[in-house]
Amino acid sequence: MRLITVAGPPSSGKTSVLIKTLEAVAADGVKAGVIKFDCLFTDDDALYQAAGIPVQKGLSGVLCPDHYFVSNIDRVLEWSAKNQLDLTVIESAGLCNRCSPHIKGSLAVCVIDNVSGLNTPKKIGPMLKLADAVVITKGDIVSQAEREVFAYRVQSVAPRARIIQINGRTGQGSHALARMFIDAPELQDSSETLRLRFPMPAALCSYCLGETRVGPEYQIGQFRKLSID
């Protein structure tokens, strides 16, 4: 079974790209499914179902969705085996640009859009820097020059990644990503031996544990104070 993680900022077009890509994968005889991780609500599972793609969703509630995903990787693999999937895609909520759910030994994809701003690639962190492929969307609403400059900025942050331009509405470019999915390495490890490519943020503080009072006397655990001149 092949495991693929797809992360990226909200509204970058991850679901649209995945539907077009997995339709191309299915046309090649590969059975693929998706598990969508989000926080409070998503109806993207209905879009996958309408496209005939097996799907499950996980809502993390008060937890970070990427931490929630990593804590449930064993359930992801169980669901994949139960449905006899050749390929399983995890779509991350992408709400914390610092997080990165990418796993060693699997294909890692980051989705980012042309209209997010020229400095956005520098703000995203390991889910972009450690990706094997970076999908750039919404190229149809910017000029050729803007597409080239943005792609250059992305490549400077993720120099080893393959850059793929995909139109989420028409599917143009999705066959290149589908080929990467099909050629992705088989997962060699079990959930007990899998490793993240990058550690999650150290963010266990008093507010993570439910504290609502504000002030230094209520702050425990991991926190950092602003240095003001």
Side-chain angles (χ1 to χ4, degrees):
M1 195 272 293
R2 301 170 185 85
L3 184 66
I4 297 167
T5 53
V6 177
S11 301
S12 56
K14 296 186 293 294
T15 300
S16 297
V17 164
L18 281 174
I19 288 174
K20 295 297 185 183
T21 300
L22 294 181
E23 286 176 344
V25 166
D28 213 345
V30 176
K31 185 177 182 181
V34 176
I35 296 187
K36 164 82 178 192
F37 285 90
D38 217 312
C39 288
L40 300 178
F41 171 82
T42 181
D43 57 1
D44 288 346
D45 53 319
L47 300 177
Y48 286 116
Q49 289 172 348
I53 299 170
V55 62
Q56 285 285 307
K57 67 178 177 181
L59 299 178
S60 62
V62 298
L63 302 177
C64 163
D66 282 342
H67 284 76
Y68 179 62
F69 150 62
V70 172
S71 301
N72 282 280
I73 187 63
D74 55 328
R75 305 302 301 274
V76 170
L77 298 182
E78 288 173 10
W79 178 77
S80 301
K82 180 180 178 180
N83 288 272
Q84 299 181 318
L85 299 179
D86 302 311
L87 185 154
T88 300
V89 178
I90 293 95
E91 182 186 345
S92 163
L95 297 175
C96 172
N97 287 336
R98 166 60 179 77
C99 284
S100 174
H102 299 318
I103 295 174
K104 292 181 179 180
S106 63
L107 181 67
V109 179
C110 181
V111 180
I112 187 172
D113 66 89
N114 275 291
V115 298
S116 60
L118 287 178
N119 289 324
T120 296
K122 295 182 179 180
K123 301 177 181 179
I124 290 182
M127 73 176 174
L128 171 63
K129 294 178 181 179
L130 300 182
D132 301 307
V134 180
V135 173
I136 305 179
T137 61
K138 304 180 184 178
D140 55 323
I141 55 179
V142 298
S143 67
Q144 177 65 28
E146 290 172 307
R147 288 196 298 272
E148 292 178 0
V149 170
F150 189 76
Y152 174 81
R153 295 287 185 93
V154 170
Q155 195 77 80
S156 66
V157 173
R160 292 176 293 181
R162 178 181 177 183
I163 306 297
I164 304 175
Q165 300 273 357
I166 295 181
N167 186 317
R169 292 185 297 177
T170 66
Q172 183 179 4
S174 60
H175 280 78
L177 185 61
R179 178 45 54 188
M180 289 194 72
F181 280 18
I182 294 170
D183 293 339
E186 292 278 349
L187 195 64
Q188 300 298 320
D189 298 321
S190 67
S191 60
E192 290 81 13
T193 55
L194 290 175
R195 295 288 186 272
L196 290 171
R197 296 192 181 191
F198 197 85
M200 291 290 185
L204 186 61
C205 69
S206 51
Y207 302 111
C208 294
L209 299 174
E211 180 62 76
T212 59
R213 293 171 295 180
V214 178
E217 63 270 32
Y218 306 117
Q219 296 171 353
I220 61 173
Q222 297 279 354
F223 63 91
R224 180 180 298 172
K225 290 297 185 181
L226 179 66
S227 178
I228 299 178
D229 297 328

